[in-house]
Amino acid sequence: MPGDIQTVRVSLAERSYDIEIGSHNLPALPDFLRQRTQSEHALIITDTTVDELYADAAGDALVAEGWEAGVLAIDPGETSKSTDTADDLWNALLDEGADRQTIVIAIGGGVVGDLAGFVAATYARGLEFFQVPTTLLAQVDSSVGGKVGVNLPGAKNMVGAFWQPRGVLIDVAVLQSLPDREYRAGLAEVIKYGMILDADFFAYLEANIDAVNAKDPAALTHIVHRCCRLKADVVEQDERELTGLRAVLNYGHTFGHAFEAIGNYEALLHGEAIAAGMRCAIRLAHRLGRIDESLVERQDALLDALHLTTKPPEADGQEIIRLMYRDKKVAAGRLRFILPSRLGNVELVDNIREEDVLASLEC
Ligand SMILES: NC(=O)c1ccc[n+]([C@@H]2O[C@H](COP(=O)([O-])OP(=O)(O)OC[C@H]3O[C@@H](n4cnc5c(N)ncnc54)[C@H](O)[C@@H]3O)[C@@H](O)[C@H]2O)c1
Ligand SMILES: [Zn+2]
């Protein structure tokens, strides 16, 4: 049975849209779309795993409601987020007779969302786009904010656009089939929101460990709702990442991106790298005298309780520093980090010394 539906309104002038969050609400997709588009032609982009689980049935449901609908399934995994796959999809859209009246629906994780959004943004100079994120990471992060794109061989997310969806429908029940590792990786971003923006939400997570570990639907609906609201608040104030406000979302990410790169983007999932990155970032904040030891312990305890035990990879510290300078978030050759000043609040701190960064890798 569908549970309560929560809605997050993302207010971006004429690009405003709703994120609807519930449990077992995926069957409401045809109604959700009907309220938001005049289109009669939908192309679903998904990956083969999610196709079998959910997207194929969603396509059938649309056809049953009178839509002309097709499903295009890519191979699962980050390597599909490429210009080659985008090219395949542009041509598949052409073969399917897509025109300016066609809508694109992404059903899948962040790979599918970023890629399908990019294809929607570029085909025929832009098609209406809807998202049905099916990983926790996609539900709390990648489906909010309108960043879409693909990777170049040597540079992640290097080609893309800002292309806001017309609506996002989130069914937390689909997380039951998500592999445990992927679920936990998404929880790293969830903890991040509490650390950077919302002390009460952090305390909610601490008080609901068992429900979170058991994927309780009511807890998940609350969590996804809160994270989407927090990210939407940031995006509304800095839609195109111009004011620097959106940078708060990068807490743990300067370390984390380096850890992902050390592992060739294979050893660690993004969220696992971010969990380790947050452990280092909070130690850096403590080392610089910005926070008490007790906050380090509190964050460690929550990460541990949600089984996010990844530690920084064994690697030469200088190699990690070198990768950090390469990170596009590093400005003008200076090391800068998003660091907590208290629970629920972070600041951008500039001109960090390498020796402090190196010392913070011990955790
Ligand atoms: N646009 C943004 O703002 C933004 C933000 C963060 C991350 N991202 C991007 O998101 C991508 C990572 O996304 P991800 O972590 O969702 O990975 P993903 O899309 O690769 O999905 C992970 C795996 O889970 C499977 N899967 C998806 N939903 C499932 C379900 N309900 N049940 C069972 N299996 C399921 C997929 O087939 C895949 O194998 C990266 O490319 C990253 O750059 C984008
Ligand atoms: Zn992230």
Side-chain angles (χ1 to χ4, degrees):
M1 285 296 290
D4 284 348
I5 300 288
Q6 307 277 339
T7 303
V8 169
R9 178 78 181 164
V10 186
S11 296
L12 297 166
E14 72 283 359
R15 295 175 308 291
S16 299
Y17 61 94
D18 292 328
I19 305 172
E20 271 194 20
I21 303 133
S23 179
H24 294 289
N25 55 332
L26 186 53
L29 180 64
D31 285 346
F32 181 82
L33 298 173
R34 189 43 68 230
Q35 289 160 20
R36 291 169 174 83
T37 178
Q38 306 288 322
S39 176
E40 307 274 315
H41 184 207
L43 289 171
I44 292 172
I45 297 179
T46 186
D47 69 29
T48 50
T49 304
V50 179
D51 187 25
E52 269 184 43
L53 289 165
Y54 309 107
D56 187 47
D60 290 348
L62 286 174
V63 171
E65 293 292 326
W67 288 74
E68 190 191 333
V71 181
L72 305 170
I74 60 164
D75 291 335
E78 187 71 29
T79 49
S80 286
K81 222 177 93 174
S82 65
T83 51
D84 279 354
T85 318
D87 189 62
D88 290 345
L89 289 170
W90 286 318
N91 284 293
L93 260 65
L94 193 64
D95 291 345
E96 295 282 337
D99 62 21
R100 301 291 294 273
Q101 274 65 53
T102 303
I103 65 168
V104 169
I105 309 168
I107 306 186
V111 165
V112 163
D114 283 12
L115 174 69
F118 178 65
V119 167
T122 46
Y123 185 86
R125 297 199 178 79
L127 304 182
E128 285 185 0
F129 174 50
F130 290 87
Q131 291 242 46
V132 181
T134 63
T135 63
L136 183 58
L137 178 120
Q139 294 185 348
V140 299
D141 190 356
S142 64
S143 70
V144 189
K147 279 210 234 172
V148 298
V150 295
N151 304 324
L152 293 181
K156 277 193 56 130
N157 300 319
M158 194 41 84
V159 177
F162 288 93
W163 193 247
Q164 300 295 345
R166 303 299 293 256
V168 179
L169 185 138
I170 298 182
D171 180 352
V172 298
V174 305
L175 300 179
Q176 300 299 335
S177 59
L178 194 64
D180 192 60
R181 232 185 121 187
E182 299 283 353
Y183 177 65
R184 308 229 163 257
L187 288 174
E189 303 281 0
V190 170
I191 295 172
K192 180 193 79 177
Y193 285 110
M195 282 301 304
I196 65 175
L197 291 165
D198 190 341
D200 289 344
F201 179 60
F202 191 94
Y204 170 89
L205 295 171
E206 290 177 319
N208 289 274
I209 301 284
D210 291 346
V212 178
N213 281 329
K215 297 186 182 171
D216 172 71
L220 283 175
T221 303
H222 174 72
I223 287 168
V224 173
H225 177 235
R226 192 68 202 129
C227 293
C228 287
R229 183 66 264 162
L230 289 167
K231 182 158 181 190
D233 286 344
V234 173
V235 168
E236 284 169 0
Q237 295 172 67
D238 185 17
E239 182 183 1
R240 298 180 70 96
E241 226 166 58
L242 297 174
T243 68
L245 184 71
R246 213 164 152 158
V248 300
L249 299 167
N250 288 324
Y251 173 55
H253 280 59
T254 305
F255 284 102
H257 286 153
F259 300 160
E260 282 184 285
I262 291 273
N264 264 328
Y265 298 94
E266 285 167 4
L268 295 177
L269 296 177
H270 174 72
E272 292 170 337
I274 296 319
M278 290 192 295
R279 286 182 194 264
C280 298
I282 205 160
R283 282 167 171 75
L284 180 56
H286 180 243
R287 200 180 156 77
L288 298 176
R290 305 179 63 84
I291 52 156
D292 291 343
E293 173 89 40
S294 63
L295 191 55
V296 181
E297 285 164 7
R298 234 177 127 177
Q299 183 188 272
D300 278 358
L302 186 56
L303 286 165
D304 289 344
L306 298 179
H307 308 207
L308 279 159
T309 50
T310 320
K311 297 285 157 58
E314 297 287 332
D316 174 28
Q318 286 304 330
E319 173 68 3
I320 289 176
I321 298 271
R322 195 183 61 76
L323 288 164
M324 284 175 171
Y325 279 118
R326 241 184 40 186
D327 195 275
K328 63 180 184 240
K329 305 285 179 332
V330 175
R334 298 189 312 253
L335 285 175
R336 55 203 288 200
F337 290 82
I338 300 291
L339 298 179
S341 41
R342 60 175 189 278
L343 185 60
N345 196 81
V346 285
E347 289 168 352
L348 181 63
V349 187
D350 229 320
N351 283 323
I352 306 266
R353 295 185 311 175
E354 289 183 12
E355 63 193 79
D356 289 323
V357 176
L358 290 172
S360 307
L361 291 168
E362 301 295 323
C363 50

